[in-house]
Amino acid sequence: ITIASIIFITREGDKTKFIDWQYLAMLFRNISPYYWAALGAFLSVALSVLGAAWGIFITGSSLLGAALRAPHITSKNLISVIFCEASAIYGVIVAIILQTKIENAKVYNTGLYDVAAYYSGYAIFGAGLVTGFSNLFCGICVGIVGSSAALSDAQNSTLFVKILVIEIFGSALGLFGIIVGIIMSSNATFKA
């Protein structure tokens, strides 16, 4: 969408069409599949770390605020921070798996790559994107639930275990992203 918007604004390609699909296809053919693969691995880590940081911020601020009223909750509620950090670790693990799939590919005289290389680049990009976004939302979800766990634990200690179960379900979102990312990149081989 971003590339199509830039093409529309700069009016490259056929001026009579809103989006010149042939020009857009030419752009995607000329962008290296290694770029897409590296971007996928980067997004897997970057979005996962962003989700973990956001979740830790939400949980930590509520935990510190609630600990003023009930100091006994701090050690017990650190599990929420650990769950948030797990989403960043999920992204790093998938990025390592994606990086191991990148191999040398055959380049033709025209400067274009083999079809298998393009498929692999897009597959790794998609896997990184799915993993990154699922862990972004996983970190935010765990952060919000961890925040409510800290606040409710300060009020009533019997609620902690019940909310912790919900927090575990929120953390499962990141695991689903890992599974989908690994499945998406499973057939990625740069060599034909």
Side-chain angles (χ1 to χ4, degrees), residues 49-50 60 65 68 143 147 155 163 165 182:
V49 169
L50 181 65
L68 292 175
S147 170
Q155 294 292 321
I163 295 178
V165 170
I182 290 172

Side-chain angles (χ1 to χ4, degrees), residues 64-107:
L64 289 176
L68 292 175
R69 184 179 180 281
H72 68 278
I73 69 166
T74 53
S75 60
K76 190 167 42 169
N77 280 283
L78 282 178
I79 192 76
S80 301
V81 174
I82 294 169
F83 278 144
C84 288
E85 189 61 35
S87 67
I89 294 170
Y90 296 158
V92 170
I93 290 169
V94 170
I96 291 170
I97 292 171
L98 295 179
Q99 283 294 101
T100 61
K101 294 190 172 289
I102 298 175
E103 304 168 334
N104 288 331
K106 180 181 179 183
V107 181

